[in-house]
């Protein structure tokens, strides 16, 4: 019985073997569709874009954001539908200049709720609430900032301007996405780039970037061609610099040939004498003990017609974005000034005086009570 038990595989071992076989089949099929160079290049592009995007997201959320090294695979819409049946948030990002195509970023619904609540200034994250249009708008704006900064980084790599259209966010499943998103409307292979995103202790999740196979291959081809152009420009610059150095050296040699030997010896002797006889003395400075009384009697008519904007500040206050979004007609905003407290008066933004409010006929006015002499 012991020998029989030892020879029989458990269900867990069978699942592991089957999973390993599936991974091998997938890797071999990936190699047939996309080369290793293309996968590595897309992975490096993903590193650049998501590295910049992580910095932007960290600034927006005021939280530490870490996005790990990407994993590049080839899949299809059908496989994604079977693997991810639950709804998610898809952000459609289209390129409008530099690159021609679109890609989709996939985020979990709870991750979008976290991002929205942080941007709204909430202390606690409400995971039980329904996803709203505000969440989708926040996701679109965040991705607009992230992918916009990523496009700027790509512009430096591709040596041309790359820009995107404002992204749009959708709450859908992969089955629904086949009717909504251009990337998912095809049965052709799709490049899936997976990242792990960590936002302190609030988010520890996976995000996906889906790119049409043809568009991904065009990106790689464009990058490789731009790299060749950059290499050619560097080589040309080096050749020009080398030629300039050679010309300068030849000019120096020609000049040295035409300088008489006696003049060279005389100049060397004079330099030697100057080095040997160094005169050291104390510096003499002009005294400023007597200051003459200088007055100007010219009129200031030249500057009398220059307009100066006077501003009277009634008061100030600080509110969060969430509080401002709740404002409506009739909302009362409390300021930091007390009743009867002097108001600040500014000239072109510079504080010059204090004053009090008066009414002249039907207009408000300010009576100056104190002038700032500083």
């Amino acid at each position: 019985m012991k020998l029989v038990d030892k020879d029989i595989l458990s269900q867990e071992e069978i699942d592991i073997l089957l999973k390993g076989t599936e991974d091998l089949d997938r890797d071999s099929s990936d190699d047939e569709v996309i080369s290793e160079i293309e996968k590595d290049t897309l992975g490096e592009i993903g590193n650049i874009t998501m590295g910049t995007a992580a910095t932007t997201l960290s600034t927006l959320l005021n939280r530490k954001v870490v996005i790990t090294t990407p994993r590049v695979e080839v899949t299809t819409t059908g496989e994604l539908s079977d693997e991810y049946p639950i709804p998610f948030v898809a952000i459609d990002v289209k390129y409008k200049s530099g690159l021609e195509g679109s890609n989709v970023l996939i985020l979990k619904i709870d991750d979008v709720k976290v991002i929205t609540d942080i941007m709204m200034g909430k202390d606690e994250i409400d995971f039980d609430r329904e996803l709203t249009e505000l969440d989708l708008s926040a996701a679109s704006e965040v991705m607009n900032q992230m992918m916009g900064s990523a496009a700027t980084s790509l512009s430096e790599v591709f040596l041309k301007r790359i820009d995107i259209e404002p992204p749009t966010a959708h709450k859908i499943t992969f089955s629904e996405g086949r009717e909504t998103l251009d990337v998912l409307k095809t049965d052709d292979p799709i490049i899936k780039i997976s990242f792990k995103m960590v936002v302190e202790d609030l988010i520890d999740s996976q995000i996906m970037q889906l790119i049409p196979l043809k568009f991904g291959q065009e990106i790689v081809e464009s990058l490789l061609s731009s790299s060749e152009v950059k290499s050619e420009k560097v080589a040309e610059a080096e050749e020009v610099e080398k030629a300039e150095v050679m010309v300068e050296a030849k000019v120096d040699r020609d000049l040295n040939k035409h300088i008489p030997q006696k003049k060279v010896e005389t100049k060397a002797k004079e330099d030697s004498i100057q080095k040997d006889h160094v005169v050291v003395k104390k510096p003499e400075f002009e005294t400023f003990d007597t200051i003459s009384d200088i007055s100007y009697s010219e009129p200031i008519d030249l500057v009398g017609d220059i307009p100066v904007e006077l501003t009277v500040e009634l008061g100030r206050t600080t509110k969060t974005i969430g509080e401002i979004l709740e404002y409506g007609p009739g909302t009362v905003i409390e300021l930091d000034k007390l009743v009867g407290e002097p108001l600040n008066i500014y000239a072109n933004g510079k504080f010059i005086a204090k004053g009090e409010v008066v009414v002249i006929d039907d207009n408000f006015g300010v009576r100056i009570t104190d002038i700032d002499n500083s």
Side-chain angles (χ1 to χ4, degrees), residues 351-354 368-374:
F351 173 71
I352 61 169
K354 290 184 176 291
I368 294 177
T369 58
D370 185 26
I371 300 291
D372 180 56
N373 296 321
S374 58

Side-chain angles (χ1 to χ4, degrees), residues 237-352:
E238 290 177 350
E239 289 295 332
V240 171
E241 183 178 358
K242 183 178 179 181
E244 291 176 350
V245 172
M246 293 176 65
V247 170
E248 291 177 358
K250 185 177 184 302
V251 170
D252 290 340
R253 289 196 301 269
D254 293 342
L255 289 175
N256 291 333
K257 289 179 181 178
H258 292 85
I259 297 176
Q261 185 65 24
K262 289 185 178 180
K263 289 187 177 181
V264 174
E265 293 176 354
T266 303
K267 187 176 185 305
K269 186 175 181 180
E270 291 176 353
D271 292 341
S272 177
I273 294 173
Q274 289 179 359
K275 291 180 180 179
D276 294 338
H277 297 81
V278 178
V279 179
V280 179
K281 63 179 181 178
K282 292 184 178 181
E284 296 180 0
F285 299 102
E286 183 180 353
T287 60
F288 297 92
D289 295 337
T290 304
I291 301 177
S292 59
D293 185 10
I294 302 175
S295 60
Y296 300 92
S297 58
E298 290 82 356
I300 62 171
D301 294 341
L302 292 176
V303 296
D305 294 332
I306 296 177
V308 177
E309 180 178 329
L310 292 180
T311 305
V312 180
E313 183 181 90
L314 184 60
R316 297 187 181 188
T317 187
T318 301
K319 299 293 182 182
T320 63
I321 294 177
E323 292 172 329
I324 294 175
L325 292 176
E326 295 176 356
Y327 286 170
T331 301
V332 177
I333 303 174
E334 183 179 354
L335 304 178
D336 59 356
K337 290 286 187 181
L338 300 177
V339 176
E341 187 175 351
L343 307 180
N344 293 337
I345 303 173
Y346 299 88
N348 282 354
K350 178 177 176 57
F351 173 71
I352 61 169

Side-chain angles (χ1 to χ4, degrees), residues 7 12 19 54 66 113 142 165 211 224 243 275 306-307:
D7 293 337
E12 181 180 357
K19 186 176 184 299
V66 177
K113 292 179 181 179
V142 167
E165 295 181 359
I211 305 174
L224 295 178
K275 291 180 180 179
I306 296 177

Side-chain angles (χ1 to χ4, degrees), residues 115-133:
I115 292 173
T116 304
D117 287 351
I118 293 176
M119 294 184 65
M120 294 294 292
K122 295 183 179 180
D123 296 329
E124 295 185 1
I125 310 301
D126 184 8
F127 292 102
D128 297 329
R129 64 182 175 84
E130 292 292 330
L131 196 73
T132 63
E133 287 296 326

